[in-house]
Amino acid sequence: MTDQQPDPMALLDLMFPSTVPCLAVAARYRIADVLVDGPRSVEDIAEQSRTTASALHKVLQVLAEDGIFAEVKPGVFENTPLSTLLRPDVPQSQYSMARLIGEPWLWSCWGRLDHSVETGKAAFDEIFNINTWAWFGQHQDEARLFDGAMTDFSEALGERIVQSYPAAGKAGVIADLGGGQGTFLATFLAAHPSIRRGLLVDLPPVIQKAKERPELADLVGAGRLDFVPGDFFQSVPSGVDLYVTKQIMHSWNDERLVALLRRCRESSPGATIAAAELVQRPGVPRFVKNFNLIMLITMAGAIRTDDDFAAVFEQAGYRLNRIVPTDSAFSIIEAVPVP
């Protein structure tokens, strides 16, 4: 604490998080695609995107403040490296994620952050009287957008994570639990031809969508990728050398996670666990802290510390072997069965 006079504007700037909805709007109306051939006036952009020029101008000016688009002269905007990632067809695109952060259901949860802080429970459940996964089962459009955002996330960071864990190449059979559309598992299989077989495990509706992805057809045709529809809390594949997960452990409390890990221990007693997860520790990026809040309000989940992971694995019959950093916000938490 210092005697320096506080600047009210510094606090006021933080009170208006308009970048988030503006990003969602820019993605929804494909503004980055409109600007792909170079700078255009806001009137031209509005005409192409079927928006109102005066309103769109306000949105683009806010985004330009953060380096997302650039106002090269008054009323004329162009893409920047960041805005290019709002295009759905570019490498490492974050188009679906930008759409997701503006979804009404998620904004509703932010509006009940107080409920989560008071109770430790998900604001989502309080608002919708149902948990997130069950709600997605009833709202297919929202579920597709969520799946798309997770796929974008995997495609952007998955290769970095896989490259940081060469030990996966020693596995003959690898199972991705909660693997969604299969992008993460496919990255492992592409990086390590020595892996004979990959098993994609998720709920039946998710697996059905994965089966329809042409990107997986070659792996399926070569017999290296199989689909395992079902609830992994009820059963997991046996005969597995390595169970991998990405970005799912923070969705569940300790009791549920221990139950899942025990299933793995029973089904494949000698298998290693390699979980690509965010880890809560001093000095983590702001993204990790923000994501921790999203998990709280949507699922009552949490990002665990090193000690938290060690305790959970110990209860399930594993020993935390090491935490491998990656060239991303994620780490690989590796656990081996206790003899």
Side-chain angles (χ1 to χ4, degrees):
M1 195 73 176
T2 68
D3 295 330
Q4 183 178 355
Q5 184 66 27
D7 180 5
M9 284 307 303
L11 186 58
L12 286 167
D13 279 345
L14 297 174
M15 289 185 187
F16 298 93
S18 51
T19 298
V20 173
C22 287
L23 267 172
V25 163
R28 178 184 182 89
Y29 293 102
R30 306 284 290 271
I31 304 303
D33 288 283
V34 175
L35 293 173
V36 69
D37 292 325
R40 297 182 66 172
S41 71
V42 71
E43 290 79 14
D44 286 346
I45 302 169
E47 182 178 2
Q48 185 70 26
S49 60
R50 299 185 179 180
T51 57
T52 301
S54 59
L56 181 62
H57 195 183
K58 295 177 175 65
V59 167
L60 294 178
Q61 284 183 316
V62 166
L63 293 176
E65 281 292 312
D66 292 316
I68 307 160
F69 301 109
E71 190 167 14
V72 293
K73 59 183 180 180
V76 177
F77 292 85
E78 68 178 1
N79 275 329
T80 66
L82 285 179
S83 68
T84 299
L85 295 176
L86 296 178
R87 298 182 60 205
D89 57 350
V90 299
Q92 302 189 29
S93 166
Q94 292 304 304
Y95 166 79
S96 293
M97 185 66 80
R99 289 285 308 276
L100 179 66
I101 61 173
E103 284 292 280
W105 64 265
L106 184 53
W107 277 94
S108 296
C109 293
W110 284 120
R112 290 309 317 272
L113 175 61
D114 60 332
H115 171 78
S116 293
V117 170
E118 288 175 13
T119 67
K121 298 178 180 179
F124 188 99
D125 296 14
E126 171 74 7
I127 296 165
F128 296 101
N129 295 312
I130 190 173
N131 70 49
T132 311
W133 301 117
W135 187 85
F136 278 145
Q138 299 173 5
H139 296 79
Q140 294 302 305
D141 289 344
E142 288 82 356
R144 276 191 290 272
L145 181 56
F146 179 83
D147 289 342
M150 295 306 101
T151 298
D152 280 358
F153 204 25
S154 289
E155 290 178 345
L157 301 179
E159 188 171 347
R160 302 183 199 179
I161 296 170
V162 168
Q163 289 176 349
S164 300
Y165 191 63
K170 299 176 183 178
V173 179
I174 180 174
D176 187 357
L177 306 180
Q181 302 296 289
T183 301
F184 190 49
L185 179 57
T187 304
F188 270 113
L189 296 175
H192 301 291
S194 56
I195 300 175
R196 299 190 311 276
R197 190 163 164 243
L199 306 175
L200 183 65
V201 184
D202 215 312
L203 295 171
V206 180
I207 291 295
Q208 184 56 46
K209 294 173 188 172
K211 288 181 176 179
E212 296 167 1
R213 294 189 68 206
E215 298 91 336
L216 303 181
D218 287 346
L219 289 170
V220 174
R224 296 187 67 211
L225 176 60
D226 290 329
F227 301 99
V228 184
D231 182 349
F232 54 51
F233 285 110
Q234 300 300 317
S235 67
V236 297
S238 59
V240 172
D241 302 306
L242 176 66
Y243 290 106
V244 300
T245 68
K246 186 174 77 65
Q247 208 180 332
I248 70 162
M249 291 193 173
H250 54 232
S251 303
W252 311 104
N253 61 27
D254 286 358
E255 181 181 2
R256 294 281 275 168
L257 184 52
V258 169
L260 171 60
L261 294 171
R262 284 176 176 165
R263 288 279 183 210
C264 297
R265 190 77 165 86
E266 293 165 1
S267 297
S268 299
T272 296
I273 306 285
E277 296 288 337
L278 303 171
V279 179
Q280 186 67 270
R281 51 173 58 138
V284 295
R286 184 182 183 91
F287 166 80
V288 176
K289 298 171 184 175
N290 286 332
F291 199 84
N292 206 12
L293 275 178
I294 290 177
M295 295 315 304
L296 170 65
I297 62 176
T298 59
M299 302 176 185
I303 296 174
R304 292 175 171 84
T305 66
D306 300 33
D307 290 342
D308 292 336
F309 278 113
V312 165
F313 280 119
E314 183 179 4
Q315 292 178 60
Y318 292 90
R319 173 177 56 83
L320 178 61
N321 192 43
R322 56 178 176 152
I323 295 181
V324 182
T326 73
D327 185 22
S328 72
F330 289 88
S331 298
I332 297 284
I333 296 92
E334 183 186 73
V336 294
V338 177

